[in-house]
Amino acid sequence: MKRWEGMWAVAVVGFWAALTPVAHAQTEECLDLNGDGVEDTVVVSGDTVTIAGGGTTRVYSPGAWNLMLPLEMDGAPGCELLFIQDGSAAVVTHRTLSTDSYNVGAWYGAGFADLDGQPGDELYVSGGFNITVVTQRDRTSKVYPVGTWSVLAALDLDGQPGRELYVIDGPRLRVISHATQSWWTYDAGPWTSVQPVETDGNAGEELVFTEGDNVRIFSLLDRGFREYTVGGWNDMSHYQQDGLPGEELVFAVGGRIFVINDARRETYSL
């Protein structure tokens, strides 16, 4: 039977609020920490954490943490316990009875996702003007300079293994490929909303920026934007409308329906 004691309930609420947005689901049910297929017992007392399971009990001291979450980070059997506080993160691997610490800076936003296409999720943390990516599988961290930002998320933008991080700061769009350890900066122009949609029928999603009558679709595969103009629209949706790969953007324009078919690079009214 699983058993979490001490600050666990508080930690879960705090961590999920802080990790925004979360790229995909890992949950508090990930309680097999030594890889034997049996849920372990975790007891929290102050800054120490005791894990018991598989005939082994071990006390860990990850530091003065205030947030804790079990995650699959290294691709090996069993989950790791991730601890985070302002300036640092610690990963407890009970399978090997070890703790690894990382400097992540004063963090403002964070999340976890498979960023390199290899087994296990990476932790990404925004602190100051940088994003730090922690890869527990090989116990490394890498810092990417991004400046300030208003949007930070992980998304598959190129159809290749591993998600990309994208950061939006005013008119600037920055994209990080941790799988290739590359990053790019683009001028997105003024915008009022942005959402991911697979519009062109190729692997990976596009980012759809809207502002007034202007629609700009960013494709990482094409390393740039495609621009469209939609006059006086008041509602936008997207769905598969022509039966071919890629979703169409559908706008309500007065009493008409206006469609952007990005796969064919054309617009029309219904």
Side-chain angles (χ1 to χ4, degrees):
M1 177 179 294
K2 65 185 179 186
R3 182 164 63 97
W4 294 90
E5 298 183 359
M7 294 179 62
W8 171 242
V10 175
V12 169
V13 172
F15 205 93
W16 281 104
L19 289 186
T20 306
V22 174
H24 63 276
Q26 290 210 39
T27 74
E28 61 198 79
E29 299 304 313
C30 181
L31 303 181
D32 173 18
L33 302 177
N34 62 4
D36 64 359
V38 179
E39 294 178 344
D40 298 304
T41 296
V42 177
V43 179
V44 178
S45 177
D47 294 342
T48 65
V49 178
T50 302
I51 302 175
T56 301
T57 298
R58 179 70 175 256
V59 177
Y60 300 91
S61 299
W65 59 273
N66 52 20
L67 301 171
M68 174 178 72
L69 194 68
L71 298 174
E72 171 43 56
M73 298 185 70
D74 64 2
C79 285
E80 289 67 55
L81 279 184
L82 170 66
F83 300 84
I84 194 167
Q85 60 178 312
D86 189 23
S88 66
V91 179
V92 169
T93 305
H94 187 56
R95 184 188 71 258
T96 59
L97 304 178
S98 61
T99 302
D100 297 284
S101 297
Y102 303 92
N103 180 8
V104 297
W107 63 288
Y108 307 117
F112 53 88
D114 175 12
L115 299 180
D116 63 3
Q118 301 298 318
D121 277 1
E122 281 67 52
L123 169 71
Y124 58 92
V125 179
S126 171
F129 299 108
N130 301 313
I131 290 178
T132 301
V133 176
V134 172
T135 303
Q136 179 62 21
R137 185 187 66 259
D138 56 14
R139 292 174 169 78
T140 61
S141 63
K142 183 171 179 60
V143 177
Y144 298 93
V146 295
T148 59
W149 57 271
S150 59
V151 178
L152 166 63
L155 193 71
D156 180 9
L157 295 174
D158 63 1
Q160 300 300 311
R163 299 187 179 204
E164 286 68 53
L165 293 174
Y166 69 93
V167 173
I168 302 174
D169 169 27
R172 289 176 292 276
L173 167 66
R174 296 181 175 90
V175 179
I176 297 170
S177 168
H178 187 61
T180 61
Q181 300 200 354
S182 305
W183 64 95
W184 306 271
T185 299
Y186 302 91
D187 181 10
W191 58 276
T192 55
S193 68
V194 59
Q195 61 178 298
V197 185
E198 202 291 275
T199 63
D200 65 1
N202 296 315
E205 294 192 273
E206 284 67 56
L207 296 175
V208 178
F209 293 79
T210 59
E211 193 274 327
D213 295 341
N214 301 312
V215 178
R216 309 189 76 199
I217 300 177
F218 173 77
S219 166
L220 182 60
L221 291 178
D222 292 343
R223 298 289 195 273
F225 288 85
R226 295 183 285 272
E227 299 191 26
Y228 302 89
T229 300
V230 182
W233 63 276
N234 53 26
D235 183 61
M236 185 186 82
S237 59
H238 56 88
Y239 59 91
Q240 173 51 253
Q241 196 250 356
D242 66 355
L244 299 175
E247 293 192 331
E248 284 68 60
L249 302 178
V250 181
F251 299 82
V253 182
R256 299 182 302 117
I257 300 298
F258 188 87
V259 178
I260 295 176
N261 188 315
D262 187 49
R264 299 205 302 252
R265 311 293 196 267
E266 65 181 26
T267 62
Y268 49 86
S269 297
L270 298 178

